[in-house]
Amino acid sequence: MKVILVTVLSIVFLCSGCSSNIKEEQKSIKICSSLNETMTDILAEDFAKQQNVKVEVRHFPAGNLDERLNFLREGKFDVWLGGTPEEYYLAGEQKMLRSYRPREAYKVPAEMRENQWRWTGLYVDYIGFLTNRDRLRELGLYAPETWDELLKPELWEETALADFKNGGRSYGMITSIWQLRGEAKAMEYAASFNSQLPLYTASEWEAIEAVRSGRKTIAVVSLSTALQLERQNRDLFATLVKDGNKNCITGAAILQGANLAEAQSFMDYLLSEHSKDLLASKGYPLLWRVSDYAHDDGRKMMIGDLELAVDDLSWTAGQKSVIIQQWLNAQ
């Protein structure tokens, strides 16, 4: 596991009339991150320089959610960066999170935060398809834009997606279809999808690699990731799922027992225009900020009039293992 220490030298003051130097005690913050390492490092290093704070970053290890929540407890972290609403819901049920209303809280729509401010959304994404152009031509198909298009006979054994239990966009596929269509029709769809024999991978990036290499035609992924890969590789094509999508929120939360002043300062920093502009300048221009949700014309033009599911977190988070098992058992 990679540990990053970002430090800024403490300011040394000379005592007037004294021969000894006195060092100001440096502030510190300990962050556990679910974001990718590059994004996390960009934010941590910049915050450290701006605030003259020692920042220690650890990234979530592999494992199920219970194991990861135990890692949070044992690590005595101040802030959890990059979690999802489902994860924060379960952590909140276990009394692990501390409420904080950030300085620029007025920018955050109510549906993109917890009502007691135990977690706050930072970015919003959607579910997309990444397709291999050469494979599409061989199959004589257009790039799919709906879940139902994945059921075409030509796409038997041609879809890759991350294992549902790892959450992310693949689990969002289940919950969106289920909540928008109802249980009976969702189970009908699940039976048809199961018969297509999709490839389940350990991570979204493994599903992407299966498509990039030409072993599979389609991967279920984050829309922003698909768009970025399309820009980098002419053989790949990104589409938005139009018949059942969701606001895929990435957020941040302060943990119980946190070094409160620094943790609150970091939450304010994450919602600032400065951090948004910084990430865009470092190669992440396709992140849709929660604070821009209401007036981001580029995002609106991209998604149009999407059919979006509104998650019932007590169901999507609290019943996750049951939901997945029902889906996989559908015949």
Side-chain angles (χ1 to χ4, degrees), residues 95-271:
K95 312 298 183 185
M96 294 176 61
L97 307 181
R98 180 162 184 161
S99 297
Y100 175 61
R101 185 183 178 95
R103 185 181 302 156
E104 298 193 34
Y106 66 91
K107 294 182 178 180
V108 182
E111 66 270 25
M112 297 194 183
R113 59 171 175 81
E114 202 267 341
N115 59 4
Q116 299 298 318
W117 294 97
R118 286 182 291 187
W119 61 266
T120 303
L122 299 174
Y123 318 112
V124 60
D125 206 340
Y126 302 94
I127 306 172
F129 294 140
L130 181 72
T131 53
N132 184 299
R133 293 177 188 267
D134 290 336
R135 295 284 291 173
L136 284 175
R137 281 192 289 268
E138 290 171 11
L139 296 171
L141 297 175
Y142 291 106
E145 296 182 335
T146 67
W147 297 120
D148 288 335
E149 288 178 271
L150 297 185
L151 305 181
K152 290 183 177 180
E154 297 90 339
L155 292 176
W156 185 72
E157 291 191 321
E158 290 295 333
T159 300
L161 68 166
D163 192 310
F164 294 130
K165 70 176 181 292
N166 294 328
R169 308 307 175 254
S170 57
Y171 184 57
M173 169 187 180
I174 296 179
T175 58
S176 296
I177 291 173
W178 199 314
Q179 290 176 107
L180 289 168
R181 300 187 185 188
E183 181 176 353
K185 290 185 177 179
M187 289 301 98
E188 288 178 13
Y189 181 88
S192 298
F193 184 73
N194 293 341
S195 70
Q196 290 289 80
L197 300 183
L199 171 67
Y200 292 105
T201 60
S203 69
E204 186 173 287
W205 282 103
E206 289 185 26
I208 288 169
E209 186 53 39
V211 170
R212 185 158 41 193
S213 65
R215 291 184 289 115
K216 299 294 177 183
T217 301
I218 300 163
V220 178
V221 299
S222 304
L223 177 63
S224 62
T225 299
L227 289 169
Q228 190 167 26
L229 290 168
E230 179 188 69
R231 292 170 60 181
Q232 297 169 354
N233 190 328
R234 61 185 300 273
D235 296 326
L236 301 176
F237 189 70
T239 50
L240 174 69
V241 181
K242 293 182 178 178
D243 65 336
N245 216 303
K246 64 177 289 185
N247 285 321
C248 301
I249 302 168
T250 297
I254 296 176
L255 294 156
Q256 289 289 356
N259 186 350
L260 200 54
E262 280 64 57
Q264 291 176 346
S265 180
F266 187 61
M267 293 289 285
D268 291 339
Y269 167 84
L270 291 172
L271 282 172

Side-chain angles (χ1 to χ4, degrees), residues 24-43:
E24 183 185 74
E25 184 177 350
Q26 191 179 21
K27 301 171 185 176
S28 65
I29 184 172
K30 192 173 182 181
I31 299 167
C32 186
S33 179
S34 306
L35 289 181
N36 74 55
E37 293 191 14
T38 303
M39 281 181 62
T40 302
D41 291 352
I42 290 169
L43 294 170

Side-chain angles (χ1 to χ4, degrees), residues 61-86:
N64 61 43
L65 184 57
D66 286 339
E67 293 169 337
R68 292 166 63 166
L69 292 182
N70 284 335
F71 178 79
L72 277 176
R73 290 190 192 91
E74 294 167 2
K76 301 185 184 305
F77 295 98
D78 300 303
V79 173
W80 176 4
L81 172 63
T84 66
E86 288 92 349

Side-chain angles (χ1 to χ4, degrees), residues 260-293:
L260 200 54
E262 280 64 57
Q264 291 176 346
S265 180
F266 187 61
M267 293 289 285
D268 291 339
Y269 167 84
L270 291 172
L271 282 172
S272 69
E273 290 297 308
H274 171 81
S275 69
K276 177 184 77 172
D277 295 341
L278 175 67
L279 286 173
S281 72
K282 297 293 185 179
Y284 295 92
L286 295 172
L287 285 174
W288 287 292
R289 291 280 296 207
V290 163
S291 57
D292 295 334
Y293 186 78

